[in-house]
Amino acid sequence: MKLHHAPLLRLYRLGIAPQERSEFVQAGARNLLTSIVQEPGTLAMGATHQDVFGATNYIFELYRDEAHYQVHAQSPQFQQYQQVARRIVQDKMRLELTPQVLRSQAEALRISGPNDLVVRGLFLTAKPGQTATIRQRVTERVERLAFNEPDTLAVYAATVATDQTQWVILEVYRNVHVIATGDHDLTHTLADVVSQQFSRHLAPDVLVTQGSLTFE
């Protein structure tokens, strides 16, 4: 699926009490697994946690456009999830993102429960005048996916809507052992054009995609 218009991409950080985690994850799984099947305009969704207790959670959502997001927002499964989230989530941060380069493998994902996948989140600040260079290098990086990196399942690269110097790049790997290194590692290839960067290794609780997504 090649997109000709930028889709809608959001990243959330949600804080919960660890003792509420089981109910929170179950509600999220029902929402994501149902939505990816019933909503063609829902392109990818991931529910991940950062810490071993599952208190800090990162959620990303990718929709074809605002209209398709509204379809999701009105769905029974999302409404059920919202009821749980309103009660459990203690703090919330939302980033509106502007997609720059998106690519996923042909394999559609329906991941739930224990798994080996890893989502690496890269958070970068571009040096002045280097945003175009970052975009070019990320594009070169994702072009290798289909032929040379079958264990890199997706790369979603975007800038923060309110500040185009701030980048968020989500890389989905089949397991921790295949995370890109050396010249294939964006932390290495972008080091000279960013003023600061940090990464988070996130463990997926649920991860779903439509597969074969391309946007540049």
Side-chain angles (χ1 to χ4, degrees):
M1 179 192 310
K2 185 172 184 178
L3 302 178
H4 299 285
H5 302 284
L8 183 67
L9 178 61
R10 293 186 175 124
L11 177 67
Y12 299 84
R13 186 183 67 211
L14 306 178
I16 66 171
Q19 63 268 25
E20 308 266 32
R21 172 169 166 71
S22 177
E23 183 181 3
F24 178 73
V25 170
Q26 289 177 14
R30 286 193 298 269
N31 178 31
L32 272 61
L33 291 168
T34 303
S35 298
I36 201 68
V37 173
Q38 296 185 356
E39 303 165 7
T42 296
L43 304 179
M45 308 175 87
T48 73
H49 63 275
Q50 175 183 326
D51 60 305
V52 66
F53 301 107
T56 302
N57 298 266
Y58 285 84
I59 315 294
F60 65 89
E61 301 176 340
L62 182 65
Y63 304 97
R64 185 181 289 272
D65 52 30
E66 176 66 26
H68 284 94
Y69 166 70
Q70 291 301 328
V71 170
H72 172 70
Q74 300 303 316
S75 68
Q77 68 272 10
F78 178 73
Q79 297 295 326
Q80 293 169 7
Y81 166 76
Q82 277 286 76
Q83 292 179 6
V84 175
R86 288 193 185 104
R87 176 167 47 83
I88 290 178
V89 173
Q90 299 176 341
D91 61 85
K92 177 179 178 180
M93 179 276 294
R94 184 176 83 177
L95 277 180
E96 297 285 348
L97 300 173
T98 301
Q100 299 293 332
V101 182
L102 309 173
R103 183 73 61 88
S104 67
Q105 300 280 14
E107 174 186 2
L109 300 179
R110 304 288 188 272
I111 304 298
S112 180
N115 64 87
D116 294 326
L117 269 62
V118 177
V119 176
R120 183 171 71 163
L122 305 179
F123 302 86
L124 316 171
T125 300
K127 289 181 178 179
Q130 294 299 328
T131 294
T133 302
I134 294 175
R135 190 177 189 282
Q136 177 184 352
R137 293 184 186 178
V138 173
T139 300
E140 293 170 354
R141 160 84 176 88
V142 302
E143 286 176 350
R144 292 192 295 266
L145 260 59
F147 302 105
N148 299 324
E149 297 184 20
D151 291 326
T152 303
L153 303 179
V155 176
Y156 306 115
T159 49
V160 175
T162 56
D163 184 352
Q164 296 293 295
T165 68
Q166 302 297 316
W167 282 75
V168 176
I169 303 174
L170 303 173
E171 302 172 306
V172 182
Y173 292 100
R174 199 173 297 278
N175 59 65
V176 69
H177 305 292
V178 297
I179 293 177
T181 58
D183 290 342
H184 292 180
D185 185 354
L186 286 172
T187 63
H188 172 73
T189 58
L190 298 177
D192 62 324
V193 293
V194 300
S195 58
Q196 62 179 8
Q197 62 175 301
F198 65 93
S199 64
R200 295 279 186 270
H201 283 198
L202 307 172
D205 297 305
V206 189
L207 203 153
V208 296
T209 71
Q210 299 289 5
S212 295
L213 176 69
T214 300
F215 173 77
E216 298 176 4

